[in-house]
Amino acid sequence: MRGNRNVGLLIVFLLITVAMAVAFFPSVNQNVAEGLNAIAPIDTESLDGATRTIFDSISYARSIHILAMLLVGFGFLMAFLHGHEFTSLTATFLAVSIAIPVYMLVKCFMPGEYDAMNITGFLFAEFAAASLLICMGAVLGRLKMDQYFVLAILFTIAYIFNEWLLLESGLFKGFLDTGGSVAIHAFGAYFGLGVVATTDKKFQGKPAPQSTKVSNEFCLLGSMILWLFWPSFTSAVVSPDHAYLTVLNTVLALCGSTLATYVFTKLIRGKIDIEDIANAALAGGVCIGSTCSTANPGFSMVIGICAGTLSTLGFSVIAPKVCKLIRGTDTCGVHNLHGMPGLLGGLFGIAITGNVGVQLGAVIATVVVGLVLGRVCGAILGLFGTKNDTYQDEDDFILE
């Protein structure tokens, strides 16, 4: 695709973006340093009942924001497939409706999980649903509705296992992943790629996914809703004293990835590609997850710039190579938006913790577990038949 790149101007835009990020570093900006030093820790263990109820009410508000992300944000983001809009939105409804109760029930029966029914347990269930929707994006358009039902149950159980492995088993003690860059985003992406690698050979020769101007507009709507509520996602389970810092870090990371996406989509493609804007602009939110409550604002914006750059490169350059490697199609490009930026976020955690072995080990473990269990799940899904009309609603809906 050719266009007027204005390379010099784009480089200036990029330098201005980087300069803004640097200006937010505490070592450069005294006001930022004083603001961070003023954060006073809150002893949440000694809160009285009334105060705890207030904090729970705030968490409830965030939980509703996350539901908006899951149902409206993810739903419309995946509505870019023309002729598959009903399936994309209904599968989103179905997945969320399965993942939340399954997660909470399984956790209730696990030893020591006595608080699974409180607001925190509900938020973690929403995280599982988000990871499931990421996984679904990889195989979107090539499963029947019944298969989404099966996928939701199998994935949620696998997610709980990986969550236990990373956060509770003791194998990765000190692993930093507050907002789930690795446990939520990367795991969902690589599980989805595992499913694709097992099932996609059945669809060789089938029509490729198609989008239209209208379906892409719905996709942009979903993207903006996700952008809007992402700070609630990352701050949902952080300590109250770091909630505002988490929100600020998340917004600056999203700003960084959005600006980097604009610059690099034009540099690489010549013109703006709507797929990049609707997806790679969100990569900052994915990548900042691991360090969302511990990074400083300047570092957060740098993380966003790096994530947006990597994600745009993923959609424009890396994606065909990955699809060739797994011998299938990553419909929504979850590897570009959630996989690589999620892993990058986990690696950025090294700068905060200094614990290379733990962070790197958790990242590798997540990729391996996701791919292996995804392939197992794909084999099971194959027992439930094959979708006849790929990327179309006809198999499951009455269309008039």
Side-chain angles (χ1 to χ4, degrees), residues 22-52:
V22 172
F24 276 110
F25 274 90
S27 58
V28 174
N29 192 319
Q30 183 63 29
N31 287 332
V32 172
E34 292 176 357
L36 294 177
N37 290 331
I39 295 176
I42 298 176
D43 183 9
T44 56
E45 297 299 323
S46 61
L47 295 178
D48 58 46
T51 306
R52 187 170 294 279

Side-chain angles (χ1 to χ4, degrees), residues 294-328:
T294 48
N296 64 63
F299 188 35
S300 298
M301 194 165 183
V302 169
I303 288 174
I305 294 169
C306 294
T309 302
L310 177 62
S311 186
T312 306
L313 287 171
F315 279 102
S316 58
V317 178
I318 302 173
K321 297 177 176 60
V322 173
C323 289
K324 184 178 180 180
L325 181 65
I326 64 173
R327 298 180 181 179

Side-chain angles (χ1 to χ4, degrees), residues 14-346:
L14 181 61
L15 292 175
I16 291 173
T17 302
V18 173
M20 286 193 293
V22 172
F24 276 110
F25 274 90
S27 58
V28 174
N29 192 319
Q30 183 63 29
N31 287 332
V32 172
E34 292 176 357
L36 294 177
N37 290 331
I39 295 176
I42 298 176
D43 183 9
T44 56
E45 297 299 323
S46 61
L47 295 178
D48 58 46
T51 306
R52 187 170 294 279
T53 299
I54 293 173
F55 280 123
D56 285 348
S57 298
I58 296 172
S59 295
Y60 163 77
R62 293 191 183 116
S63 74
I64 299 304
H65 293 172
I66 295 172
L67 280 179
M69 293 177 70
L70 298 179
L71 294 174
V72 187
F74 275 105
F76 282 99
L77 186 70
M78 294 192 287
F80 77 97
L81 284 176
H82 178 61
H84 191 264
E85 295 91 345
F86 286 171
T87 306
S88 295
L89 292 168
T90 304
T92 301
F93 260 133
L94 186 65
V96 173
S97 300
I98 294 170
I100 290 176
V102 168
Y103 179 93
M104 297 186 76
L105 279 173
V106 172
K107 296 292 278 188
C108 279
F109 285 101
M110 290 179 66
E113 296 296 336
Y114 302 111
D115 61 347
M117 295 304 296
N118 65 13
I119 187 64
T120 302
F122 177 54
L123 287 166
F124 277 103
E126 290 182 310
F127 293 160
S131 191
L132 168 61
L133 293 176
I134 292 166
C135 166
M136 281 174 44
V139 295
L140 191 69
R142 301 189 299 281
L143 295 183
K144 298 186 295 183
M145 195 62 66
D146 295 341
Q147 290 173 306
Y148 287 116
F149 190 101
V150 177
L151 172 63
I153 295 175
L154 295 176
F155 176 88
T156 304
I157 295 171
Y159 175 89
I160 292 172
F161 169 75
N162 189 66
E163 182 185 63
W164 169 84
L165 181 67
L166 296 183
L167 306 179
E168 301 170 31
S169 69
L171 294 175
F172 303 101
K173 190 174 182 179
F175 174 53
L176 181 62
D177 194 38
T178 307
S181 292
V182 179
I184 298 172
H185 296 280
F187 180 76
Y190 287 99
F191 190 101
L193 292 184
V195 176
V196 170
T198 305
T199 61
D200 221 56
K201 59 185 178 182
K202 300 177 181 179
F203 302 103
Q204 292 180 2
K206 295 283 188 177
Q210 301 293 326
S211 62
T212 64
K213 184 176 185 293
V214 173
S215 67
N216 280 328
E217 287 171 349
F218 279 119
C219 180
L220 271 176
L221 172 64
S223 178
M224 289 183 174
I225 290 170
L226 288 169
W227 208 107
L228 172 66
F229 289 120
W230 211 292
S232 290
F233 189 91
T234 52
S235 64
V237 295
V238 304
S239 60
D241 49 299
H242 278 72
Y244 173 70
L245 177 62
T246 301
V247 169
L248 178 60
N249 285 343
T250 303
V251 171
L252 288 177
L254 286 166
C255 290
S257 60
T258 302
L259 294 171
T261 298
Y262 167 73
V263 169
F264 282 96
T265 190
K266 289 198 70 175
L267 282 176
I268 295 170
R269 302 182 188 271
K271 291 184 179 180
I272 299 171
D273 190 301
I274 202 63
E275 180 184 41
D276 296 343
I277 294 298
N279 291 279
L282 300 172
V286 173
C287 196
I288 193 59
S290 289
T291 58
C292 58
S293 64
T294 48
N296 64 63
F299 188 35
S300 298
M301 194 165 183
V302 169
I303 288 174
I305 294 169
C306 294
T309 302
L310 177 62
S311 186
T312 306
L313 287 171
F315 279 102
S316 58
V317 178
I318 302 173
K321 297 177 176 60
V322 173
C323 289
K324 184 178 180 180
L325 181 65
I326 64 173
R327 298 180 181 179
T329 301
D330 176 5
T331 305
C332 293
V334 299
H335 182 248
N336 312 312
L337 174 54
H338 301 278
M340 294 188 296
L343 299 183
L344 182 63

